[in-house]
Amino acid sequence: MAKLWFKFQRYFRRKPVRFFTFLVLYLTAGSLVFLHSGFVGQPAISQNQASPAAGVPAEGAELPFLGDLHLGRGFRDTGEASSIARRYGPWFKGKDGSERTKLGDYGGAWSRALKGRIVREKEEERAKYIGCYLDDTQSRALRGVSFFDYKKMTIFRCQDNCAERGYLYAGLEFGAECYCGHKIQATNVSEAECDMGCKGERGSVCGGANRLSVYRLQLAQESARRYGSAVFRGCFRRPDNLSLALPVTAAMPNMSVDKCVDLCTEKEYPLAALAGNACHCGFPTTRFPLHEREDEQLCAQKCSAEEFESCGTPSYFIVYQTQVQDNRCMDRKFLPAKSKQLIALASFPGAGNTWARHLIELATGFYTGSYYFDGSLYNKGFKGERDHWRSGRTICIKTHESGQKEIEAFDAAILLIRNPYKALMAEFNRKYGGHIGFAAHAHWKGKEWPEFVRNYAPWWATHTLDWLKFGKKVLVVHFEDLKQDLFVQLGRMVSLLGVAVREDRLLCVESQKDGNFKRSGLRKLEYDPYTADMQKIISAYIKMVDAALKGRNLTGVPDDYYPR
């Protein structure tokens, strides 16, 4: 045997070409065998095995509801599903005991292709395309939540976001905008008018210019429909003119919070007011602004159908905010004529500039611009981000600059000031985790955080001092005051921008003030990252800024800035 192996080895050593030829033939033969086993020789399937009673869904039948609102349906071809189950692994049970195929990691190119095809089929069948519909910025076809992504929008992403919030319809527009709703309030138009491709999915259509590609989400069970978590707003006195303040009223002998919220959601109103055995629906208006909350004991009348919930009284209403989006402040556009003055929205990084831009755009209806270009913000809906800051098409310009030359380039400014302890942490999170992300624990504990504080803390003070010194017509707004009294502070900001203040629009902004630019707060540090030395230095800067503000007859810094 050894001699035979030696001769075999010497044969290929003398002729290397023969060795490589033999190797190629061996690999080719192996590949052919592998492919052959994947396509032929599948066992036949009897009628019993293919029937729904045997655990395999019939053609077109819906599979059980899996997860809170992640929808899925079975394979189109029963035989294909059964053969997949035989060749690629076990079945697993759904919530109601019915069976579904396991999309595990089977290995191999054929398995990956098969898995991808199954996932695509599930995505296609999770919603039914309804058609192309007219949309209007003043009166939306779908009046639930909305979000934009001008880089990665796909049909599935829009459907998934609407489904998770319990909506029945998902619509896509301009290739990048997603709208959700419980009913369609628009007319159907020609399919040719929905002609814009999805930004994140080549070959797919995502509406058109003021045209929505609408899908109806396929819920496996009617009981799976939900309207999401309503937000408790408080106890409020009955408005003077009830029929004008809350135009929809329904008597409910078996009153519950869910019933009233569901009614107002179906009627497409953002407010649900419970008044004993009556449910009222409407918008926040000057007749019912939700600014003066009453003691909740005045509303503490138990619901007839819910023992542990309060349903208010005929004189004092319990108010909830539904998931219906108030569209009175959602229309935005560029200025119709070039602005004659440049107004800065100036702040130290981390002081809430992006959030303030969101509020200003909703309150005025005009896009804001930026001294910089941030692609991620443009993709999230800040369309003025791409304009040159001197274009004159935007209502104000975001800037973090603090030099004399840069400041004097603006005709007026809104100076947004935030507690330096909060601002520094927010900017550190943004630098290492993105606009709504968080820095890693290693960054806080490493050398990055002390170095960051050493470099940025002096800038927090000099930024405010420079704008007070060199700025023209500077309106100072404290971030904390804006959060506490948004209606008044945002009204001041809009007045400086030269736009008429519409109270109903400001009330609309209040109901959706957070937008998509607020960190969740779920990853707060369990310790104070500021050392005693850091606190001593920052407190000195706070006193310096406080003295500068008071020296110009302005309100000093809020009390919660110090002591630590």
Side-chain angles (χ1 to χ4, degrees):
M1 185 67 185
K3 285 185 177 181
L4 181 62
W5 172 249
F6 178 74
K7 289 180 180 180
F8 186 77
Q9 190 178 30
R10 185 174 60 181
Y11 174 77
F12 281 111
R13 189 181 298 161
R14 291 177 178 176
K15 301 288 186 179
V17 176
R18 294 175 181 173
F19 172 74
F20 288 113
T21 303
F22 176 78
L23 183 62
V24 169
L25 290 173
Y26 175 78
L27 294 174
T28 302
S31 299
L32 289 173
V33 171
F34 174 77
L35 291 173
H36 180 74
S37 66
F39 288 99
V40 300
Q42 299 176 15
I45 302 167
S46 68
Q47 292 296 322
N48 290 335
Q49 289 171 322
S51 69
V56 181
E59 182 175 355
E62 292 193 2
L63 280 165
F65 184 79
L66 295 179
D68 286 337
L69 273 172
H70 296 280
L71 317 177
R73 298 182 65 181
F75 297 95
R76 293 179 180 175
D77 184 79
T78 306
E80 180 186 45
S82 300
S83 63
I84 289 168
R86 288 170 178 263
R87 281 165 32 206
Y88 292 106
W91 298 80
F92 69 93
K93 298 284 184 179
K95 285 187 177 180
D96 59 358
S98 58
E99 296 174 332
R100 299 192 62 164
T101 52
K102 179 181 179 182
L103 298 180
D105 184 9
Y106 311 117
W110 166 247
S111 303
R112 289 192 297 271
L114 174 66
K115 180 180 176 181
R117 187 176 69 184
I118 294 171
V119 170
R120 284 195 300 273
E121 286 182 357
K122 285 171 64 182
E123 291 178 5
E124 291 169 0
E125 295 187 357
R126 70 189 305 280
K128 180 181 179 181
Y129 179 68
I130 301 297
C132 184
Y133 285 81
L134 181 69
D135 196 30
D136 184 354
T137 57
Q138 302 297 325
S139 179
R140 290 290 181 188
L142 296 175
R143 300 180 183 178
V145 300
S146 63
F147 75 98
F148 311 140
D149 194 327
Y150 289 89
K151 188 175 182 181
K152 298 179 180 179
M153 181 61 74
T154 66
I155 294 173
F156 176 75
R157 185 180 178 198
C158 179
Q159 292 172 356
D160 194 52
N161 274 271
C162 293
E164 285 183 353
R165 290 163 174 81
Y167 290 103
L168 293 181
Y169 294 97
L172 297 106
E173 185 173 342
F174 283 110
E177 301 178 3
C178 176
Y179 297 88
C180 311
H182 291 297
K183 61 182 178 181
I184 307 170
Q185 303 193 55
T187 56
N188 192 250
V189 296
S190 169
E191 289 298 313
E193 296 183 36
C194 284
D195 56 0
M196 298 183 72
C198 302
K199 297 293 185 181
E201 187 177 22
R202 290 185 179 180
S204 297
V205 176
C206 284
N210 295 320
R211 299 294 184 269
L212 275 175
S213 296
V214 180
Y215 293 83
R216 189 185 195 283
L217 303 177
Q218 300 295 317
L219 298 176
Q221 303 171 8
E222 186 65 20
S223 61
R225 182 194 299 182
R226 62 176 176 84
Y227 293 108
S229 299
V231 178
F232 177 73
R233 295 295 299 270
C235 176
F236 298 90
R237 185 187 298 271
R238 173 193 173 106
D240 292 334
N241 195 327
L242 181 60
S243 59
L244 289 178
L246 299 168
V248 173
T249 299
M252 289 187 174
N254 295 320
M255 172 67 82
S256 70
V257 174
D258 286 344
K259 287 181 180 178
C260 187
V261 168
D262 287 356
L263 171 69
C264 296
T265 300
E266 289 178 352
K267 298 292 185 182
E268 299 287 345
Y269 285 100
L271 293 184
L274 292 82
N277 291 324
C279 176
H280 307 283
C281 309
F283 293 93
T285 64
T286 52
R287 294 185 178 89
F288 196 50
L290 305 183
H291 285 163
E292 297 180 5
R293 293 178 64 160
E294 303 288 348
D295 188 337
E296 289 183 25
Q297 291 299 318
L298 296 172
C299 293
Q301 176 176 306
K302 292 182 180 179
C303 300
S304 54
E306 269 184 282
E307 182 180 357
F308 301 105
E309 292 286 353
S310 296
C311 278
T313 70
S315 299
Y316 292 92
F317 296 174
I318 286 285
V319 179
Y320 286 86
Q321 185 170 319
T322 72
Q323 279 202 327
V324 175
Q325 184 166 274
D326 190 342
N327 286 308
R328 295 175 299 169
C329 58
M330 292 305 294
D331 57 305
R332 291 172 294 170
K333 59 186 178 181
F334 289 103
L335 293 174
K338 186 174 180 179
S339 176
K340 296 180 180 179
Q341 61 176 352
L342 294 174
I343 302 177
L345 177 60
S347 73
F348 174 77
N353 200 303
T354 301
W355 179 57
R357 290 178 67 185
H358 164 72
L359 298 177
I360 289 171
E361 290 194 359
L362 294 182
T364 64
F366 297 112
Y367 290 117
T368 59
S370 178
Y371 194 81
Y372 322 97
F373 170 69
D374 189 329
S376 64
L377 290 180
Y378 176 82
N379 292 332
K380 298 301 181 184
F382 286 100
K383 291 187 178 180
E385 193 75 15
R386 275 191 175 178
D387 268 36
H388 189 275
W389 66 280
R390 286 185 176 273
S391 69
R393 298 206 307 161
T394 52
I395 193 70
C396 64
I397 312 298
K398 163 191 172 178
T399 180
H400 299 310
E401 301 301 309
S402 56
Q404 179 178 353
K405 180 180 178 181
E406 288 77 7
I407 293 173
E408 291 178 346
F410 292 95
D411 302 299
I414 298 170
L415 177 59
L416 190 62
I417 305 174
R418 187 182 187 184
N419 185 326
Y421 291 103
K422 300 289 183 64
L424 289 169
M425 293 178 68
E427 175 59 11
F428 190 72
N429 276 319
R430 187 208 64 81
K431 185 174 182 179
Y432 290 98
H435 280 282
I436 56 174
F438 294 86
H441 183 75
H443 292 134
W444 293 101
K445 287 294 188 180
K447 65 179 182 179
E448 293 92 342
W449 171 242
E451 184 177 341
F452 179 86
V453 172
R454 185 168 58 253
N455 293 329
Y456 276 67
W459 182 19
W460 176 84
T462 58
H463 182 277
T464 298
L465 297 176
D466 284 354
W467 276 95
L468 291 175
K469 182 178 180 180
F470 302 116
K472 312 165 191 173
K473 198 178 177 181
V474 177
L475 172 67
V476 175
V477 176
H478 294 284
F479 176 87
E480 293 74 18
D481 293 341
L482 185 60
K483 285 183 63 179
Q484 187 70 27
D485 193 0
L486 185 142
F487 188 85
V488 172
Q489 297 300 328
L490 187 55
R492 294 175 62 221
M493 296 162 70
V494 172
S495 295
L496 179 76
L497 296 172
V499 178
V501 178
R502 290 170 47 194
E503 291 189 358
D504 282 358
R505 189 161 185 128
L506 292 180
L507 290 169
C508 170
V509 178
E510 277 191 317
S511 66
Q512 46 198 323
K513 58 185 178 183
D514 288 339
N516 299 315
F517 308 99
K518 181 181 178 182
R519 291 184 176 86
S520 66
L522 299 177
R523 289 183 55 186
K524 292 183 178 178
L525 289 177
E526 298 178 356
Y527 60 91
D528 187 347
Y530 292 99
T531 64
D533 289 340
M534 291 178 184
Q535 293 179 26
K536 184 178 179 180
I537 294 172
I538 294 173
S539 293
Y541 290 135
I542 291 174
K543 293 176 181 178
M544 188 185 303
V545 170
D546 184 62
L549 291 170
K550 291 178 178 177
R552 288 165 175 76
N553 295 320
L554 299 171
T555 304
V557 300
D559 294 336
D560 65 352
Y561 278 28
Y562 55 86
R564 291 286 291 176

